């Protein structure tokens, strides 16, 4: 069987073609994997920042409610401004106000 020049060239360059295509696919999937990893890290960072902001906002709202209630409520104001801590009436009225 006579081999033509085309067949000989095709067989001689086929391994190089396969190696180049394989290397190209490998590089492409490596880059895709690296990009996915970076995006996952970025998403986790954004999620943690959002959770921190939500917790911070909730704690600020609780702090504001406590401060407003402390300022506007006579029993609590008397309790915190009381110099003598042995005044039972002030202590009991503050406790009752907190539980209501």
């Amino acid at each position: 069987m006579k081999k033509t020049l085309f067949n000989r060239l095709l067989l001689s360059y086929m391994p190089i073609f396969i190696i180049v295509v394989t290397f190209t696919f490998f590089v492409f999937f490596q880059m895709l994997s690296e990009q996915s990893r970076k995006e996952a890290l970025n998403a986790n960072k954004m999620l943690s920042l959002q959770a921190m902001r939500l917790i911070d906002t909730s704690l600020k709202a609780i702090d504001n409610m406590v401060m407003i209630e402390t300022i506007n409520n006579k029993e609590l104001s008397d309790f915190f401004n009381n110099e003598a801590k042995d005044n039972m009436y002030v202590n009991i009225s503050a406790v009752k106000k907190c539980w209501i």
Side-chain angles (χ1 to χ4, degrees):
M1 182 172 183
K2 182 181 175 194
K3 290 189 177 182
T4 63
L5 180 64
F6 175 75
N7 287 341
R8 279 190 271 172
L9 285 174
L10 185 65
L11 287 176
S12 67
Y13 287 114
M14 185 61 72
I16 296 171
F17 176 74
I18 291 173
I19 290 171
V20 168
V21 169
T22 305
F23 180 74
T24 305
F25 277 129
F26 177 73
V27 169
F28 171 74
F29 285 119
Q30 282 296 102
M31 290 176 62
L32 186 67
S33 173
E34 184 68 23
Q35 186 68 24
S36 298
R37 189 183 65 79
K38 285 180 183 177
E39 289 298 322
L41 288 174
N42 192 19
N44 288 340
K45 182 179 175 183
M46 289 298 151
L47 182 64
S48 64
L49 282 173
Q50 186 176 2
M52 276 184 5
R53 287 181 185 145
L54 178 67
I55 291 171
D56 191 40
T57 304
S58 299
L59 289 175
K60 282 181 183 177
I62 292 170
D63 184 48
N64 286 339
M65 285 192 315
V66 168
M67 291 302 290
I68 288 172
E69 188 65 27
T70 303
I71 291 170
N72 293 335
N73 193 331
K74 173 113 171 66
E75 289 88 5
L76 292 176
S77 179
D78 289 343
F79 175 75
F80 286 115
N81 293 330
N82 188 12
E83 295 296 326
K85 300 294 182 191
D86 57 350
N87 189 348
M88 284 301 203
Y89 176 73
V90 173
N91 292 342
I92 291 174
S93 64
V95 168
K96 281 184 181 178
K97 186 61 181 171
C98 289
W99 286 102
I100 294 177

